[in-house]
Amino acid sequence: MTIRLYDTAGREKRVFEPQDPKRVTMYVCGPTVYNYAHIGNARPPITFDVLRRVLSHAYGKDAVVYARNITDIEDKIIKASQESGEPISAITKKFADIYNADVAALNVMPPSIEPWATGHVGEMIEIIGKLVRKGYAYVGKEGVWFAVKQMPDYGKLSGRKLEDNEAGARVAVDEDKRDPADFALWKFAKPGEPEDAIWDSPWGRGRPGWHIECSAMAAKHLGKTIDIHGGGIDLQFPHHENEIAQSECAHGQQMARYWMHNGFLDMGGEKMSKSLGNVVLVHELLEAWPGEVLRFAMLSGHYRAPLDWTEDLLKQAKTTLDRIYGALRRVWEAEGGKARDKGVLRALQDDLNTPVALAELSRLAGEANTAADQKDDAAMAEARADLLAAGELLGLLTLMPKAWEQGGDDDGNARIDALVQARIDARAAKNWAEADRIRDELAAEGIEIMDGAGRSTWRRM
């Protein structure tokens, strides 16, 4: 089984060859948890969930170790805490739970490992110390900075030269830096900043810079060289470029063997972003559409290409899924077949070509209808198996056809289960306000939570 992936660093499709087929490692940059995620934020978890499924098919589920981090310390989080008066931990716990519930509703499987940045400050300090001792970093008045000119091949991921890194091009001006492109490894605390955003370090009290977080978490949980590092194209520079600089200068070895980046989601021809105010929240979309519709719509475009997010795109996704589930319903009782068709798998092996894979899925639905028309029991059983196997790879067709026709809800609703578990966690932590908030949110959706001894269940009112 040959998998070909587009490597951003090499700027070409390459045959994927893991370091160890018994332990395939993948790290994907996760959310900064201070607000609700918009649908553009959902493209990386969906994209790399599909990749994880393909890798699991090739190497076995237990062989794939997938880490997706939570950034729970950052300037925006501090600002949210100062404005709301809530502790940082309360804000990050709330929005991490919401994020995980939202992506679960999109049929995104939980990562093998979900490291939180605040749990790895010690590892970050250790890497920064190595960089200072090796001469790659220096201490200024405002913090500790990485000196990009000390790394001869800085910019190799993005293709940017140092002279391109002028102020204003995602490079902040600061008189404390020796070069405008230098970036923060450690930021000294400022007056008025909350104590829960401050740690001790050999250079002074403060907090880590954003880029150092992923270097530390990836190395601790997956190793100093990992197989795949992924994220949105907006992270290619400066975040991933700076991760490479920190990690490779500190450890003296390649950080990742394959770099993968998904393209932007657009609305009205413009990149979707909070700064432009043209975002649509996952949370809100899930109130209007089944999670599988959102996932299907996302997969309708190739992950590296921009995708224009429109109401028509969602309507088309819903219509197509209705047709495919209708075909599955016609062969649903024909159990015992063996999946034989490899069309979807072949498409996904070719750099996750989901548009072709979805076309193959529609073809399988057509074959299921033909088998049902002919009342061919063996063909119906095989068609059922082929559809379900294809759905497993794509993260689709997770409901019984009857449940889909009734609105896409069943007792296994992943989002509701995740919210109920988040409420259990909140109650265990005596965070009664958060527990009540989740209960009220579910009640507004017609979901009643029933608390029992040591567990909670739910039902539709």
Side-chain angles (χ1 to χ4, degrees):
M1 177 176 178
T2 301
I3 299 172
R4 296 175 63 85
L5 302 174
Y6 186 86
D7 175 24
T8 309
R11 293 161 182 77
E12 64 177 357
K13 268 197 244 184
R14 297 171 49 208
V15 173
F16 176 69
E17 296 178 340
Q19 300 173 93
D20 180 0
K22 295 180 180 178
R23 189 174 188 269
V24 182
T25 53
M26 179 167 66
Y27 184 98
V28 174
C29 292
T32 300
V33 284
Y34 69 98
N35 207 333
Y36 292 95
H38 63 71
I39 190 62
N41 300 141
R43 198 172 197 189
I46 290 175
T47 295
F48 292 102
D49 181 72
V50 173
L51 177 57
R52 179 192 190 178
R53 291 167 186 265
V54 174
L55 294 173
S56 296
H57 181 85
Y59 300 101
K61 290 183 179 180
D62 293 340
V64 180
V65 186
Y66 173 34
R68 187 185 70 216
N69 75 291
I70 295 287
T71 293
D72 59 332
I73 182 61
E74 201 259 354
D75 291 349
K76 296 184 184 73
I77 297 173
I78 293 173
K79 183 180 179 183
S81 175
Q82 291 172 326
E83 290 178 349
S84 68
E86 289 186 84
I88 285 176
S89 59
I91 293 171
T92 55
K93 176 68 167 60
K94 169 185 173 180
F95 286 109
D97 286 344
I98 291 171
Y99 175 86
N100 283 330
D102 283 349
V103 297
L106 304 176
N107 293 343
V108 173
M109 297 183 293
S112 315
I113 304 165
E114 188 183 65
W116 288 51
T118 53
H120 298 76
V121 175
E123 288 83 359
M124 298 175 206
I125 290 172
E126 183 180 347
I127 293 175
I128 296 169
K130 284 184 181 180
L131 293 170
V132 171
R133 291 192 297 274
K134 289 184 172 185
Y136 290 108
Y138 58 93
V139 182
K141 294 179 181 178
E142 298 176 7
V144 183
W145 305 93
F146 185 92
V148 295
K149 288 186 176 178
Q150 295 300 105
M151 184 181 184
D153 56 354
Y154 180 82
K156 61 185 177 181
L157 176 65
S158 62
R160 296 170 66 103
K161 298 178 181 179
L162 276 177
E163 53 267 31
D164 297 332
N165 296 332
E166 298 175 355
R170 306 200 80 181
V171 174
V173 176
D174 195 311
E175 293 181 357
D176 198 42
K177 299 194 287 188
R178 295 175 183 172
D179 186 276
D182 293 350
F183 58 88
L185 298 169
W186 188 262
K187 299 179 179 181
F188 293 149
K190 298 177 181 177
E193 289 186 335
E195 280 295 316
D196 52 356
I198 299 173
W199 288 263
D200 293 327
S201 82
W203 314 282
R205 301 186 77 225
R207 66 179 183 279
W210 174 38
H211 311 302
I212 195 68
E213 297 176 4
C214 291
S215 288
M217 291 184 280
K220 177 176 180 179
H221 295 285
L222 302 180
K224 293 175 182 177
T225 298
I226 64 176
D227 288 315
I228 299 169
H229 196 318
I233 191 63
D234 55 320
L235 299 183
Q236 182 183 11
F237 183 89
H239 184 51
H240 288 166
E241 195 76 74
N242 292 346
E243 279 189 58
I244 290 174
Q246 299 159 159
S247 298
E248 297 189 359
C249 290
H251 304 313
Q253 60 192 73
Q254 184 181 25
M255 182 185 184
R257 302 177 70 246
Y258 299 80
W259 286 88
M260 296 180 66
H261 295 90
N262 63 267
F264 289 123
L265 242 60
D266 296 336
M267 284 197 72
E270 289 187 307
K271 168 198 165 187
M272 188 182 295
S273 71
K274 291 176 182 175
S275 61
L276 292 175
N278 62 347
V279 300
V280 182
L281 301 181
V282 178
H283 210 61
E284 295 173 345
L285 284 167
L286 287 169
E287 294 176 358
W289 301 93
E292 280 200 21
V293 169
L294 304 184
R295 185 181 180 103
F296 191 102
M298 194 75 77
L299 297 179
S300 66
H302 192 278
Y303 78 93
R304 286 191 284 118
L307 178 64
D308 198 21
W309 192 262
T310 65
E311 187 82 2
D312 285 344
L313 179 70
L314 294 173
K315 289 178 180 178
Q316 181 60 49
K318 178 65 164 61
T319 298
T320 305
L321 275 171
D322 285 343
R323 180 173 56 80
I324 294 171
Y325 264 110
L328 182 59
R329 175 179 51 78
R330 297 186 69 197
V331 298
W332 186 253
E333 302 300 327
E335 299 182 6
K338 183 177 180 181
R340 300 180 186 279
D341 194 277
K342 301 296 181 184
V344 170
L345 179 60
R346 282 194 296 269
L348 296 178
Q349 287 175 283
D350 182 17
D351 193 34
L352 304 184
N353 195 333
T354 54
V356 171
L358 293 181
E360 289 291 312
L361 185 65
S362 289
R363 175 181 61 79
L364 292 175
E367 292 179 1
N369 280 323
T370 299
D373 289 342
Q374 296 174 351
K375 296 183 172 57
D376 184 333
D377 291 344
M380 289 169 65
E382 184 174 316
R384 178 185 190 273
D386 281 334
L387 279 170
L388 292 177
E392 174 66 23
L393 286 169
L394 289 162
L396 299 171
L397 305 183
T398 60
L399 301 177
M400 293 177 63
K402 183 177 179 181
W404 176 264
E405 291 169 358
Q406 292 174 347
D409 292 319
D410 68 359
D411 289 340
N413 189 299
R415 175 174 171 271
I416 296 174
D417 288 343
L419 282 170
V420 170
Q421 183 58 52
R423 182 174 177 272
I424 292 171
D425 294 342
R427 284 163 60 87
K430 300 188 186 306
N431 187 348
W432 309 119
E434 175 64 4
D436 290 346
R437 185 197 66 77
I438 295 173
R439 181 200 62 205
D440 293 344
E441 177 182 338
L442 289 172
E445 298 176 15
I447 305 298
E448 178 185 7
I449 297 179
M450 296 167 289
D451 296 317
R455 62 191 294 270
S456 296
T457 57
W458 60 271
R459 68 180 180 187
R460 299 193 178 276
M461 295 185 287

